PDB file of all heavy atoms in Angstrom:
ATOM      1  N   LYS A  45       3.656  50.590  48.805  1.00  0.00           N
ATOM      2  CA  LYS A  45       3.095  51.125  47.567  1.00  0.00           C
ATOM      3  C   LYS A  45       3.989  50.706  46.415  1.00  0.00           C
ATOM      4  O   LYS A  45       5.186  50.883  46.444  1.00  0.00           O
ATOM      5  CB  LYS A  45       2.997  52.639  47.636  1.00  0.00           C
ATOM      6  CG  LYS A  45       1.964  53.115  48.629  1.00  0.00           C
ATOM      7  CD  LYS A  45       1.826  54.606  48.595  1.00  0.00           C
ATOM      8  CE  LYS A  45       0.748  55.018  49.594  1.00  0.00           C
ATOM      9  NZ  LYS A  45       0.602  56.468  49.637  1.00  0.00           N
ATOM     10  N   ILE A  46       3.379  50.112  45.417  1.00  0.00           N
ATOM     11  CA  ILE A  46       4.100  49.650  44.245  1.00  0.00           C
ATOM     12  C   ILE A  46       3.542  50.404  43.051  1.00  0.00           C
ATOM     13  O   ILE A  46       2.331  50.429  42.847  1.00  0.00           O
ATOM     14  CB  ILE A  46       3.914  48.132  44.053  1.00  0.00           C
ATOM     15  CG1 ILE A  46       4.338  47.407  45.314  1.00  0.00           C
ATOM     16  CG2 ILE A  46       4.672  47.639  42.861  1.00  0.00           C
ATOM     17  CD1 ILE A  46       3.891  45.987  45.371  1.00  0.00           C
ATOM     18  N   LYS A  47       4.419  51.001  42.269  1.00  0.00           N
ATOM     19  CA  LYS A  47       3.966  51.804  41.146  1.00  0.00           C
ATOM     20  C   LYS A  47       4.259  51.108  39.831  1.00  0.00           C
ATOM     21  O   LYS A  47       5.349  50.629  39.608  1.00  0.00           O
ATOM     22  CB  LYS A  47       4.663  53.166  41.166  1.00  0.00           C
ATOM     23  CG  LYS A  47       4.322  53.982  42.390  1.00  0.00           C
ATOM     24  CD  LYS A  47       5.058  55.295  42.378  1.00  0.00           C
ATOM     25  CE  LYS A  47       4.739  56.069  43.641  1.00  0.00           C
ATOM     26  NZ  LYS A  47       5.502  57.309  43.718  1.00  0.00           N
ATOM     27  N   LEU A  48       3.274  51.066  38.979  1.00  0.00           N
ATOM     28  CA  LEU A  48       3.464  50.568  37.623  1.00  0.00           C
ATOM     29  C   LEU A  48       2.360  51.154  36.764  1.00  0.00           C
ATOM     30  O   LEU A  48       1.190  51.070  37.114  1.00  0.00           O
ATOM     31  CB  LEU A  48       3.377  49.045  37.560  1.00  0.00           C
ATOM     32  CG  LEU A  48       3.473  48.491  36.150  1.00  0.00           C
ATOM     33  CD1 LEU A  48       4.918  48.534  35.664  1.00  0.00           C
ATOM     34  CD2 LEU A  48       2.942  47.102  36.072  1.00  0.00           C
ATOM     35  N   ASN A  49       2.728  51.738  35.681  1.00  0.00           N
ATOM     36  CA  ASN A  49       1.760  52.257  34.739  1.00  0.00           C
ATOM     37  C   ASN A  49       1.528  51.174  33.700  1.00  0.00           C
ATOM     38  O   ASN A  49       2.304  51.011  32.774  1.00  0.00           O
ATOM     39  CB  ASN A  49       2.279  53.543  34.097  1.00  0.00           C
ATOM     40  CG  ASN A  49       1.283  54.124  33.132  1.00  0.00           C
ATOM     41  OD1 ASN A  49       0.269  53.511  32.823  1.00  0.00           O
ATOM     42  ND2 ASN A  49       1.559  55.321  32.660  1.00  0.00           N
ATOM     43  N   THR A  50       0.441  50.413  33.851  1.00  0.00           N
ATOM     44  CA  THR A  50       0.189  49.291  32.948  1.00  0.00           C
ATOM     45  C   THR A  50      -0.114  49.750  31.527  1.00  0.00           C
ATOM     46  O   THR A  50      -0.011  48.970  30.600  1.00  0.00           O
ATOM     47  CB  THR A  50      -0.968  48.414  33.461  1.00  0.00           C
ATOM     48  OG1 THR A  50      -2.116  49.239  33.670  1.00  0.00           O
ATOM     49  CG2 THR A  50      -0.594  47.721  34.746  1.00  0.00           C
ATOM     50  N   GLU A  51      -0.477  51.013  31.358  1.00  0.00           N
ATOM     51  CA  GLU A  51      -0.734  51.517  30.009  1.00  0.00           C
ATOM     52  C   GLU A  51       0.550  51.561  29.178  1.00  0.00           C
ATOM     53  O   GLU A  51       0.503  51.486  27.967  1.00  0.00           O
ATOM     54  CB  GLU A  51      -1.354  52.919  30.080  1.00  0.00           C
ATOM     55  CG  GLU A  51      -2.743  52.915  30.673  1.00  0.00           C
ATOM     56  CD  GLU A  51      -3.285  54.320  30.860  1.00  0.00           C
ATOM     57  OE1 GLU A  51      -2.601  55.296  30.500  1.00  0.00           O
ATOM     58  OE2 GLU A  51      -4.407  54.433  31.365  1.00  0.00           O
ATOM     59  N   THR A  52       1.701  51.680  29.846  1.00  0.00           N
ATOM     60  CA  THR A  52       2.966  51.747  29.113  1.00  0.00           C
ATOM     61  C   THR A  52       3.690  50.415  29.091  1.00  0.00           C
ATOM     62  O   THR A  52       4.803  50.335  28.592  1.00  0.00           O
ATOM     63  CB  THR A  52       3.899  52.809  29.739  1.00  0.00           C
ATOM     64  OG1 THR A  52       4.228  52.399  31.060  1.00  0.00           O
ATOM     65  CG2 THR A  52       3.281  54.173  29.738  1.00  0.00           C
ATOM     66  N   MET A  53       3.084  49.362  29.628  1.00  0.00           N
ATOM     67  CA  MET A  53       3.766  48.077  29.649  1.00  0.00           C
ATOM     68  C   MET A  53       4.113  47.670  28.224  1.00  0.00           C
ATOM     69  O   MET A  53       3.271  47.681  27.346  1.00  0.00           O
ATOM     70  CB  MET A  53       2.903  47.006  30.307  1.00  0.00           C
ATOM     71  CG  MET A  53       3.707  45.779  30.649  1.00  0.00           C
ATOM     72  SD  MET A  53       2.825  44.682  31.724  1.00  0.00           S
ATOM     73  CE  MET A  53       1.905  43.755  30.540  1.00  0.00           C
ATOM     74  N   GLY A  54       5.340  47.287  28.024  1.00  0.00           N
ATOM     75  CA  GLY A  54       5.795  46.907  26.701  1.00  0.00           C
ATOM     76  C   GLY A  54       6.596  48.007  26.023  1.00  0.00           C
ATOM     77  O   GLY A  54       7.216  47.787  25.009  1.00  0.00           O
ATOM     78  N   LYS A  55       6.581  49.191  26.588  1.00  0.00           N
ATOM     79  CA  LYS A  55       7.396  50.275  26.050  1.00  0.00           C
ATOM     80  C   LYS A  55       8.716  50.326  26.799  1.00  0.00           C
ATOM     81  O   LYS A  55       8.938  49.621  27.766  1.00  0.00           O
ATOM     82  CB  LYS A  55       6.638  51.599  26.175  1.00  0.00           C
ATOM     83  CG  LYS A  55       5.388  51.622  25.303  1.00  0.00           C
ATOM     84  CD  LYS A  55       4.703  52.942  25.376  1.00  0.00           C
ATOM     85  CE  LYS A  55       3.441  52.920  24.506  1.00  0.00           C
ATOM     86  NZ  LYS A  55       2.688  54.134  24.639  1.00  0.00           N
ATOM     87  N   GLU A  56       9.583  51.193  26.366  1.00  0.00           N
ATOM     88  CA  GLU A  56      10.922  51.313  26.937  1.00  0.00           C
ATOM     89  C   GLU A  56      10.880  51.525  28.451  1.00  0.00           C
ATOM     90  O   GLU A  56       9.990  52.175  28.975  1.00  0.00           O
ATOM     91  CB  GLU A  56      11.625  52.484  26.265  1.00  0.00           C
ATOM     92  CG  GLU A  56      13.099  52.514  26.557  1.00  0.00           C
ATOM     93  CD  GLU A  56      13.789  53.529  25.686  1.00  0.00           C
ATOM     94  OE1 GLU A  56      13.897  53.283  24.480  1.00  0.00           O
ATOM     95  OE2 GLU A  56      14.196  54.557  26.239  1.00  0.00           O
ATOM     96  N   ASN A  57      11.869  50.950  29.144  1.00  0.00           N
ATOM     97  CA  ASN A  57      12.067  51.073  30.586  1.00  0.00           C
ATOM     98  C   ASN A  57      11.044  50.314  31.424  1.00  0.00           C
ATOM     99  O   ASN A  57      10.874  50.616  32.591  1.00  0.00           O
ATOM    100  CB  ASN A  57      12.125  52.545  31.026  1.00  0.00           C
ATOM    101  CG  ASN A  57      13.287  53.254  30.387  1.00  0.00           C
ATOM    102  OD1 ASN A  57      14.361  52.674  30.213  1.00  0.00           O
ATOM    103  ND2 ASN A  57      13.087  54.501  30.015  1.00  0.00           N
ATOM    104  N   ASP A  58      10.383  49.356  30.869  1.00  0.00           N
ATOM    105  CA  ASP A  58       9.472  48.536  31.654  1.00  0.00           C
ATOM    106  C   ASP A  58      10.110  47.184  31.948  1.00  0.00           C
ATOM    107  O   ASP A  58      11.042  46.756  31.283  1.00  0.00           O
ATOM    108  CB  ASP A  58       8.146  48.337  30.931  1.00  0.00           C
ATOM    109  CG  ASP A  58       7.288  49.581  30.991  1.00  0.00           C
ATOM    110  OD1 ASP A  58       7.465  50.386  31.920  1.00  0.00           O
ATOM    111  OD2 ASP A  58       6.458  49.752  30.099  1.00  0.00           O
ATOM    112  N   TRP A  59       9.532  46.511  32.914  1.00  0.00           N
ATOM    113  CA  TRP A  59      10.053  45.225  33.382  1.00  0.00           C
ATOM    114  C   TRP A  59       8.890  44.242  33.348  1.00  0.00           C
ATOM    115  O   TRP A  59       7.958  44.369  34.145  1.00  0.00           O
ATOM    116  CB  TRP A  59      10.587  45.429  34.790  1.00  0.00           C
ATOM    117  CG  TRP A  59      11.480  44.356  35.321  1.00  0.00           C
ATOM    118  CD1 TRP A  59      12.053  43.324  34.652  1.00  0.00           C
ATOM    119  CD2 TRP A  59      11.924  44.239  36.668  1.00  0.00           C
ATOM    120  NE1 TRP A  59      12.822  42.570  35.490  1.00  0.00           N
ATOM    121  CE2 TRP A  59      12.760  43.125  36.749  1.00  0.00           C
ATOM    122  CE3 TRP A  59      11.685  44.989  37.830  1.00  0.00           C
ATOM    123  CZ2 TRP A  59      13.358  42.716  37.934  1.00  0.00           C
ATOM    124  CZ3 TRP A  59      12.277  44.591  39.006  1.00  0.00           C
ATOM    125  CH2 TRP A  59      13.113  43.463  39.049  1.00  0.00           C
ATOM    126  N   TYR A  60       8.930  43.295  32.436  1.00  0.00           N
ATOM    127  CA  TYR A  60       7.840  42.332  32.358  1.00  0.00           C
ATOM    128  C   TYR A  60       8.282  41.046  31.670  1.00  0.00           C
ATOM    129  O   TYR A  60       9.379  40.941  31.135  1.00  0.00           O
ATOM    130  CB  TYR A  60       6.608  42.938  31.683  1.00  0.00           C
ATOM    131  CG  TYR A  60       6.743  43.296  30.229  1.00  0.00           C
ATOM    132  CD1 TYR A  60       6.241  42.457  29.243  1.00  0.00           C
ATOM    133  CD2 TYR A  60       7.333  44.482  29.839  1.00  0.00           C
ATOM    134  CE1 TYR A  60       6.339  42.791  27.906  1.00  0.00           C
ATOM    135  CE2 TYR A  60       7.444  44.830  28.502  1.00  0.00           C
ATOM    136  CZ  TYR A  60       6.940  43.979  27.540  1.00  0.00           C
ATOM    137  OH  TYR A  60       7.039  44.308  26.211  1.00  0.00           O
ATOM    138  N   LEU A  61       7.389  40.063  31.733  1.00  0.00           N
ATOM    139  CA  LEU A  61       7.638  38.730  31.199  1.00  0.00           C
ATOM    140  C   LEU A  61       6.537  38.400  30.212  1.00  0.00           C
ATOM    141  O   LEU A  61       5.367  38.728  30.449  1.00  0.00           O
ATOM    142  CB  LEU A  61       7.618  37.721  32.356  1.00  0.00           C
ATOM    143  CG  LEU A  61       8.044  36.290  32.048  1.00  0.00           C
ATOM    144  CD1 LEU A  61       9.552  36.238  31.786  1.00  0.00           C
ATOM    145  CD2 LEU A  61       7.703  35.392  33.228  1.00  0.00           C
ATOM    146  N   GLU A  62       6.909  37.728  29.128  1.00  0.00           N
ATOM    147  CA  GLU A  62       5.924  37.306  28.138  1.00  0.00           C
ATOM    148  C   GLU A  62       6.206  35.864  27.746  1.00  0.00           C
ATOM    149  O   GLU A  62       7.334  35.516  27.385  1.00  0.00           O
ATOM    150  CB  GLU A  62       5.996  38.218  26.912  1.00  0.00           C
ATOM    151  CG  GLU A  62       4.898  37.960  25.911  1.00  0.00           C
ATOM    152  CD  GLU A  62       4.884  39.011  24.802  1.00  0.00           C
ATOM    153  OE1 GLU A  62       5.778  39.888  24.754  1.00  0.00           O
ATOM    154  OE2 GLU A  62       3.968  38.921  23.965  1.00  0.00           O
ATOM    155  N   ILE A  63       5.170  35.015  27.854  1.00  0.00           N
ATOM    156  CA  ILE A  63       5.277  33.614  27.450  1.00  0.00           C
ATOM    157  C   ILE A  63       4.115  33.340  26.492  1.00  0.00           C
ATOM    158  O   ILE A  63       2.989  33.059  26.916  1.00  0.00           O
ATOM    159  CB  ILE A  63       5.224  32.657  28.665  1.00  0.00           C
ATOM    160  CG1 ILE A  63       6.240  33.077  29.737  1.00  0.00           C
ATOM    161  CG2 ILE A  63       5.474  31.215  28.204  1.00  0.00           C
ATOM    162  CD1 ILE A  63       6.183  32.250  31.015  1.00  0.00           C
ATOM    163  N   PRO A  64       4.353  33.432  25.189  1.00  0.00           N
ATOM    164  CA  PRO A  64       3.272  33.322  24.206  1.00  0.00           C
ATOM    165  C   PRO A  64       2.468  32.020  24.277  1.00  0.00           C
ATOM    166  O   PRO A  64       1.244  32.051  24.136  1.00  0.00           O
ATOM    167  CB  PRO A  64       4.005  33.437  22.860  1.00  0.00           C
ATOM    168  CG  PRO A  64       5.277  34.138  23.176  1.00  0.00           C
ATOM    169  CD  PRO A  64       5.645  33.721  24.561  1.00  0.00           C
ATOM    170  N   CYS A  65       3.123  30.875  24.489  1.00  0.00           N
ATOM    171  CA  CYS A  65       2.398  29.598  24.420  1.00  0.00           C
ATOM    172  C   CYS A  65       1.370  29.423  25.541  1.00  0.00           C
ATOM    173  O   CYS A  65       0.467  28.595  25.419  1.00  0.00           O
ATOM    174  CB  CYS A  65       3.368  28.424  24.384  1.00  0.00           C
ATOM    175  SG  CYS A  65       4.301  28.203  25.898  1.00  0.00           S
ATOM    176  N   ILE A  66       1.485  30.200  26.625  1.00  0.00           N
ATOM    177  CA  ILE A  66       0.461  30.141  27.682  1.00  0.00           C
ATOM    178  C   ILE A  66      -0.260  31.484  27.820  1.00  0.00           C
ATOM    179  O   ILE A  66      -0.945  31.737  28.811  1.00  0.00           O
ATOM    180  CB  ILE A  66       1.034  29.671  29.043  1.00  0.00           C
ATOM    181  CG1 ILE A  66       2.139  30.600  29.545  1.00  0.00           C
ATOM    182  CG2 ILE A  66       1.507  28.230  28.950  1.00  0.00           C
ATOM    183  CD1 ILE A  66       2.600  30.310  30.969  1.00  0.00           C
ATOM    184  N   LEU A  67      -0.092  32.337  26.803  1.00  0.00           N
ATOM    185  CA  LEU A  67      -0.768  33.639  26.736  1.00  0.00           C
ATOM    186  C   LEU A  67      -0.528  34.506  27.967  1.00  0.00           C
ATOM    187  O   LEU A  67      -1.434  35.142  28.489  1.00  0.00           O
ATOM    188  CB  LEU A  67      -2.281  33.443  26.518  1.00  0.00           C
ATOM    189  CG  LEU A  67      -2.673  32.587  25.324  1.00  0.00           C
ATOM    190  CD1 LEU A  67      -4.173  32.365  25.288  1.00  0.00           C
ATOM    191  CD2 LEU A  67      -2.178  33.215  24.029  1.00  0.00           C
ATOM    192  N   LEU A  68       0.718  34.548  28.424  1.00  0.00           N
ATOM    193  CA  LEU A  68       1.075  35.338  29.598  1.00  0.00           C
ATOM    194  C   LEU A  68       1.878  36.562  29.195  1.00  0.00           C
ATOM    195  O   LEU A  68       2.853  36.463  28.445  1.00  0.00           O
ATOM    196  CB  LEU A  68       1.911  34.510  30.586  1.00  0.00           C
ATOM    197  CG  LEU A  68       2.464  35.285  31.787  1.00  0.00           C
ATOM    198  CD1 LEU A  68       1.341  35.667  32.748  1.00  0.00           C
ATOM    199  CD2 LEU A  68       3.510  34.472  32.513  1.00  0.00           C
ATOM    200  N   LYS A  69       1.456  37.707  29.676  1.00  0.00           N
ATOM    201  CA  LYS A  69       2.217  38.948  29.588  1.00  0.00           C
ATOM    202  C   LYS A  69       1.932  39.679  30.889  1.00  0.00           C
ATOM    203  O   LYS A  69       0.797  40.103  31.124  1.00  0.00           O
ATOM    204  CB  LYS A  69       1.791  39.784  28.384  1.00  0.00           C
ATOM    205  CG  LYS A  69       2.640  41.026  28.189  1.00  0.00           C
ATOM    206  CD  LYS A  69       2.243  41.751  26.903  1.00  0.00           C
ATOM    207  CE  LYS A  69       3.139  42.936  26.659  1.00  0.00           C
ATOM    208  NZ  LYS A  69       2.732  43.645  25.428  1.00  0.00           N
ATOM    209  N   ALA A  70       2.952  39.780  31.758  1.00  0.00           N
ATOM    210  CA  ALA A  70       2.708  40.316  33.096  1.00  0.00           C
ATOM    211  C   ALA A  70       3.890  41.143  33.587  1.00  0.00           C
ATOM    212  O   ALA A  70       5.044  40.839  33.274  1.00  0.00           O
ATOM    213  CB  ALA A  70       2.441  39.174  34.060  1.00  0.00           C
ATOM    214  N   PRO A  71       3.603  42.172  34.384  1.00  0.00           N
ATOM    215  CA  PRO A  71       4.652  43.041  34.920  1.00  0.00           C
ATOM    216  C   PRO A  71       5.437  42.368  36.041  1.00  0.00           C
ATOM    217  O   PRO A  71       4.926  41.499  36.743  1.00  0.00           O
ATOM    218  CB  PRO A  71       3.866  44.237  35.457  1.00  0.00           C
ATOM    219  CG  PRO A  71       2.535  43.674  35.814  1.00  0.00           C
ATOM    220  CD  PRO A  71       2.266  42.593  34.797  1.00  0.00           C
ATOM    221  N   ILE A  72       6.677  42.800  36.210  1.00  0.00           N
ATOM    222  CA  ILE A  72       7.568  42.292  37.259  1.00  0.00           C
ATOM    223  C   ILE A  72       7.880  43.435  38.210  1.00  0.00           C
ATOM    224  O   ILE A  72       8.035  44.583  37.784  1.00  0.00           O
ATOM    225  CB  ILE A  72       8.875  41.748  36.647  1.00  0.00           C
ATOM    226  CG1 ILE A  72       8.585  40.612  35.665  1.00  0.00           C
ATOM    227  CG2 ILE A  72       9.844  41.296  37.740  1.00  0.00           C
ATOM    228  CD1 ILE A  72       9.773  40.197  34.815  1.00  0.00           C
ATOM    229  N   ALA A  73       7.985  43.116  39.506  1.00  0.00           N
ATOM    230  CA  ALA A  73       8.405  44.093  40.519  1.00  0.00           C
ATOM    231  C   ALA A  73       9.413  43.434  41.446  1.00  0.00           C
ATOM    232  O   ALA A  73       9.470  42.205  41.566  1.00  0.00           O
ATOM    233  CB  ALA A  73       7.202  44.599  41.312  1.00  0.00           C
ATOM    234  N   GLU A  74      10.205  44.247  42.114  1.00  0.00           N
ATOM    235  CA  GLU A  74      11.237  43.750  43.027  1.00  0.00           C
ATOM    236  C   GLU A  74      10.607  43.152  44.272  1.00  0.00           C
ATOM    237  O   GLU A  74       9.702  43.737  44.867  1.00  0.00           O
ATOM    238  CB  GLU A  74      12.175  44.895  43.419  1.00  0.00           C
ATOM    239  CG  GLU A  74      13.416  44.444  44.121  1.00  0.00           C
ATOM    240  CD  GLU A  74      14.310  43.597  43.225  1.00  0.00           C
ATOM    241  OE1 GLU A  74      14.685  44.049  42.139  1.00  0.00           O
ATOM    242  OE2 GLU A  74      14.636  42.468  43.633  1.00  0.00           O
ATOM    243  N   GLY A  75      11.075  41.958  44.670  1.00  0.00           N
ATOM    244  CA  GLY A  75      10.639  41.316  45.907  1.00  0.00           C
ATOM    245  C   GLY A  75       9.662  40.185  45.670  1.00  0.00           C
ATOM    246  O   GLY A  75       9.026  40.089  44.619  1.00  0.00           O
ATOM    247  N   THR A  76       9.558  39.319  46.682  1.00  0.00           N
ATOM    248  CA  THR A  76       8.641  38.175  46.591  1.00  0.00           C
ATOM    249  C   THR A  76       7.704  38.112  47.787  1.00  0.00           C
ATOM    250  O   THR A  76       7.247  37.045  48.157  1.00  0.00           O
ATOM    251  CB  THR A  76       9.432  36.851  46.465  1.00  0.00           C
ATOM    252  OG1 THR A  76      10.349  36.755  47.557  1.00  0.00           O
ATOM    253  CG2 THR A  76      10.163  36.764  45.133  1.00  0.00           C
ATOM    254  N   THR A  77       7.408  39.262  48.365  1.00  0.00           N
ATOM    255  CA  THR A  77       6.429  39.289  49.452  1.00  0.00           C
ATOM    256  C   THR A  77       5.043  39.030  48.868  1.00  0.00           C
ATOM    257  O   THR A  77       4.828  39.194  47.655  1.00  0.00           O
ATOM    258  CB  THR A  77       6.418  40.650  50.173  1.00  0.00           C
ATOM    259  OG1 THR A  77       6.002  41.660  49.241  1.00  0.00           O
ATOM    260  CG2 THR A  77       7.786  40.995  50.765  1.00  0.00           C
ATOM    261  N   LYS A  78       4.123  38.667  49.716  1.00  0.00           N
ATOM    262  CA  LYS A  78       2.751  38.440  49.280  1.00  0.00           C
ATOM    263  C   LYS A  78       2.193  39.706  48.631  1.00  0.00           C
ATOM    264  O   LYS A  78       1.514  39.641  47.603  1.00  0.00           O
ATOM    265  CB  LYS A  78       1.870  38.008  50.451  1.00  0.00           C
ATOM    266  CG  LYS A  78       0.421  37.780  50.058  1.00  0.00           C
ATOM    267  CD  LYS A  78      -0.445  37.508  51.274  1.00  0.00           C
ATOM    268  CE  LYS A  78      -1.904  37.394  50.931  1.00  0.00           C
ATOM    269  NZ  LYS A  78      -2.458  38.533  50.200  1.00  0.00           N
ATOM    270  N   GLU A  79       2.501  40.861  49.221  1.00  0.00           N
ATOM    271  CA  GLU A  79       1.984  42.125  48.695  1.00  0.00           C
ATOM    272  C   GLU A  79       2.474  42.378  47.266  1.00  0.00           C
ATOM    273  O   GLU A  79       1.718  42.836  46.418  1.00  0.00           O
ATOM    274  CB  GLU A  79       2.391  43.297  49.604  1.00  0.00           C
ATOM    275  CG  GLU A  79       1.692  43.303  50.950  1.00  0.00           C
ATOM    276  CD  GLU A  79       2.296  42.329  51.959  1.00  0.00           C
ATOM    277  OE1 GLU A  79       3.452  41.891  51.782  1.00  0.00           O
ATOM    278  OE2 GLU A  79       1.600  41.971  52.914  1.00  0.00           O
ATOM    279  N   VAL A  80       3.729  42.078  46.996  1.00  0.00           N
ATOM    280  CA  VAL A  80       4.264  42.252  45.645  1.00  0.00           C
ATOM    281  C   VAL A  80       3.599  41.256  44.703  1.00  0.00           C
ATOM    282  O   VAL A  80       3.096  41.622  43.643  1.00  0.00           O
ATOM    283  CB  VAL A  80       5.808  42.077  45.618  1.00  0.00           C
ATOM    284  CG1 VAL A  80       6.320  42.015  44.180  1.00  0.00           C
ATOM    285  CG2 VAL A  80       6.486  43.210  46.372  1.00  0.00           C
TER     286      VAL A  80
END
């Protein structure tokens, strides 16, 4: 089970990546398993 409140993405204490030139804004989670 992976928890992330996408409504708060971009506010304090979140972990995410933003790349403006390719219109990417996405959350990050620990691990590189397929499920993650």
Side-chain angles (χ1 to χ4, degrees):
K45 291 184 179 178
I46 304 166
K47 297 179 182 176
L48 176 76
N49 181 352
T50 55
E51 293 174 2
T52 64
M53 194 167 86
K55 294 183 181 175
E56 192 170 289
N57 298 323
D58 285 335
W59 196 11
Y60 66 100
L61 188 71
E62 187 172 5
I63 308 176
C65 67
I66 60 171
L67 306 175
L68 174 71
K69 185 175 184 181
I72 300 169
E74 192 65 55
T76 55
T77 63
K78 179 186 175 306
E79 290 79 19
V80 170

